[in-house]
Amino acid sequence: MIIDWPALRAAATAAAERAYAPYSGLRVGAAGLTSDGQVVTGCNVENSSYGLTLCAECGLVSALHASGAGAAALQAVAVVAGDGQPLLPCGRCRQLLLEAGGPDLLVDTAEGPVELKVLLPAAFTGADLAARREAR
C-alpha cells in the first residue's frame, strides 16, 4: 500500500483544529490509515484534571473502533501539532497504537516514517498476558 504522508498529515492537522486544549494551548491531531484504505482521525481533549486528558491517539483508536474500521489494522499514523509539524506519540499512546496496528505500524516523524517497534522496543503485548496469566 502506498502511503500519502502529506495527505495523512493534512488530515491530522484538520483534526488538530478541532482539539480542545484550553490548558496547554497545544492542539494535537492524529490520522491513521487502515489496511483497507480508510483514514480515521482523532484530536486531544484536555480536562482541568490533567490526568483525565485524552491524547489525540486515544481519540484516533476510539474512532477506529467506533466507526467499525477496527477490523482493519492501522498501517500508518501521523500525529501533528496545530502547526502541522510531526509530534511523536507518548509512551502510553505508543502502547495503544501497538494494539491497533502492530509492531510494523509506520509512524510519521520529522525524519520520515519509523516502524513502531523501533519507537517501542520490547513491547508488552497480549501474548505476555496469556503467557503469564495465573491459573485459577
Side-chain angles (χ1 to χ4, degrees):
M1 172 181 293
I2 296 174
I3 299 163
D4 184 348
W5 289 105
L8 207 54
R9 276 191 192 175
T13 301
E17 292 172 5
R18 297 185 294 273
Y20 178 71
Y23 305 104
S24 72
L26 177 63
R27 295 175 179 272
V28 180
L33 177 67
T34 65
S35 57
D36 64 359
Q38 295 182 63
V39 174
V40 182
T41 62
C43 62
N44 62 320
V45 178
E46 294 181 348
N47 188 284
S48 60
S49 174
Y50 291 126
L52 297 178
T53 291
L54 299 174
C55 297
E57 299 88 337
C58 294
L60 166 67
V61 172
S62 181
L64 177 74
H65 290 286
S67 70
L74 286 176
Q75 299 294 303
V77 171
V79 181
V80 301
D83 63 3
Q85 295 304 305
L87 288 175
L88 283 174
C90 69
R92 179 183 94 159
C93 290
R94 292 176 194 194
Q95 180 69 36
L96 189 66
L97 291 170
L98 178 71
E99 294 205 18
D104 296 325
L105 171 67
L106 292 174
V107 179
D108 189 26
T109 74
E111 291 77 36
V114 174
E115 291 179 326
L116 184 56
K117 63 187 167 195
V118 173
L119 299 174
L120 187 63
F124 186 82
T125 68
D128 295 301
L129 287 173
R132 305 296 297 270
R133 190 172 284 128
E134 294 181 18
R136 292 186 184 221

